[in-house]
Amino acid sequence: MKYMAALFCCIWFMASSWAAEPRPVTIATLDFPPYVSNRLPNKGWAWEVARTVLRQQGYEPNLLIMPWIRALKFAEEGEVDALFMANKTPEREKWAVFSDPIGEEVSVAFKLRDRQFGIRDLSDLATHTVVALRGSNAFDVLRRGGVEAVPVSEMLNGFQMVLQGRADMFVTDRFAGRAFLRQHFTDDLVNRINIEQHLVDVNRLHLAISKKVPDHMDILTAFNNGLAQARQNGLYDRIQKSHGF
């Protein structure tokens, strides 16, 4: 009887340990400072929010940073569980469910300071060479607005084309563009770039969970619940403030 009791206790302890193991969640996105980047403390404020929320809900997130078009493809095909920093579009809603918004993306045009042209609306971009990230919402917005945008795989390519005079402007998120310039270019080059005041697009950023993941709705519900709690108890604001926002 003592042996059976000990065996039962051992099995119960092991089962309890297994049940407590957090479910790993693999999430892909691009290098997108100040929201998310391997070069930032805690990999950026947006990632710190997402990671904290998921851990509190019993998940263990794993971040993969790669070119955006590859992250998009991996999420669509279910090679990863989710795509981070994603805009919600009808096309993406075919293969993903979207969380409540984590933040907001404000797309603007970065151009050389000595280029003397202004932008009043989207049609003004149609006569210029404009680049945008392949697969990004900004790229789609430009195309729908009649602007034949040139796709680039990474932000570095977009800024290099502008600085080298091979493109008139690079359209991307205002805060991400500024942060990326400061991280990757010298002050002299950064000072050559100007940001147009006209907003090309304003959109929300989400966690997009692949419908090919069997428990995608469980992850979605848990994330939304945790995000709501983080906003209510002040955690969201504290994380942003710790990153200087």
Side-chain angles (χ1 to χ4, degrees):
M1 288 295 293
K2 288 183 180 180
Y3 171 78
M4 292 299 294
L7 180 61
F8 175 80
C9 288
C10 181
I11 292 172
W12 179 85
F13 177 78
M14 291 173 65
S16 299
S17 300
W18 292 335
E21 282 293 314
R23 193 276 206 207
V25 178
T26 302
I27 300 171
T29 192
L30 76 167
D31 186 42
F32 202 54
Y35 304 96
V36 54
S37 175
N38 284 328
R39 300 177 181 85
L40 294 174
N42 293 320
K43 300 187 177 181
W45 75 262
W47 176 250
E48 186 175 352
V49 168
R51 182 188 63 194
T52 303
V53 163
L54 284 166
R55 283 179 175 172
Q56 289 178 346
Q57 296 294 313
Y59 295 89
E60 183 53 45
N62 175 40
L63 177 66
L64 300 178
I65 291 181
M66 60 186 70
W68 178 251
I69 194 67
R70 188 188 305 165
L72 192 66
K73 181 174 182 289
F74 280 7
E76 183 175 359
E77 295 179 351
E79 295 294 323
V80 296
D81 294 303
L83 180 70
F84 193 45
M85 296 284 95
N87 301 122
K88 185 190 294 187
T89 66
E91 180 60 32
R92 293 175 188 172
E93 285 185 289
K94 294 176 183 177
W95 53 264
V97 291
F98 285 77
S99 74
D100 293 335
I102 300 158
E104 189 175 68
E105 179 181 30
V106 180
S107 297
V108 295
F110 290 78
K111 68 179 184 65
L112 289 178
R113 192 175 296 276
D114 58 8
R115 294 291 178 93
Q116 300 301 316
F117 55 81
I119 302 172
R120 293 165 300 178
D121 54 49
L122 205 56
S123 63
D124 291 330
L125 277 68
T127 58
H128 299 283
T129 303
V130 182
V131 293
L133 286 172
R134 186 191 305 273
S136 68
N137 183 68
F139 183 82
D140 293 338
V141 167
L142 290 167
R143 285 295 182 93
R144 289 197 300 269
V147 181
E148 289 299 318
V150 178
V152 292
S153 59
E154 298 186 22
M155 293 182 74
L156 182 64
N157 306 132
F159 283 119
Q160 284 177 334
M161 288 181 68
V162 171
L163 287 165
Q164 293 165 4
R166 294 188 291 128
D168 294 315
M169 62 192 79
F170 173 44
V171 174
T172 191
D173 177 73
R174 177 169 56 195
F175 299 112
R178 284 174 175 166
F180 194 90
L181 280 168
R182 289 195 296 267
Q183 282 189 2
H184 294 271
F185 295 93
T186 64
D187 289 343
D188 287 345
L189 291 176
V190 171
N191 290 333
R192 291 181 60 199
I193 298 288
N194 187 47
I195 301 174
E196 279 291 320
Q197 294 303 307
H198 176 77
L199 306 184
V200 176
D201 185 56
V202 179
N203 213 317
R204 292 175 173 179
L205 296 165
H206 307 260
L207 180 69
I209 306 157
S210 174
K211 291 180 180 178
K212 291 192 175 181
V213 177
D215 57 343
H216 62 272
M217 290 306 299
D218 292 336
I219 299 172
L220 178 69
T221 300
F223 185 84
N224 283 343
N225 288 341
L227 184 60
Q229 291 172 17
R231 291 184 184 276
Q232 290 167 5
N233 63 27
L235 176 63
Y236 182 96
D237 291 335
R238 289 196 299 274
I239 289 175
Q240 278 201 321
K241 190 172 293 186
S242 72
H243 286 262
F245 293 93

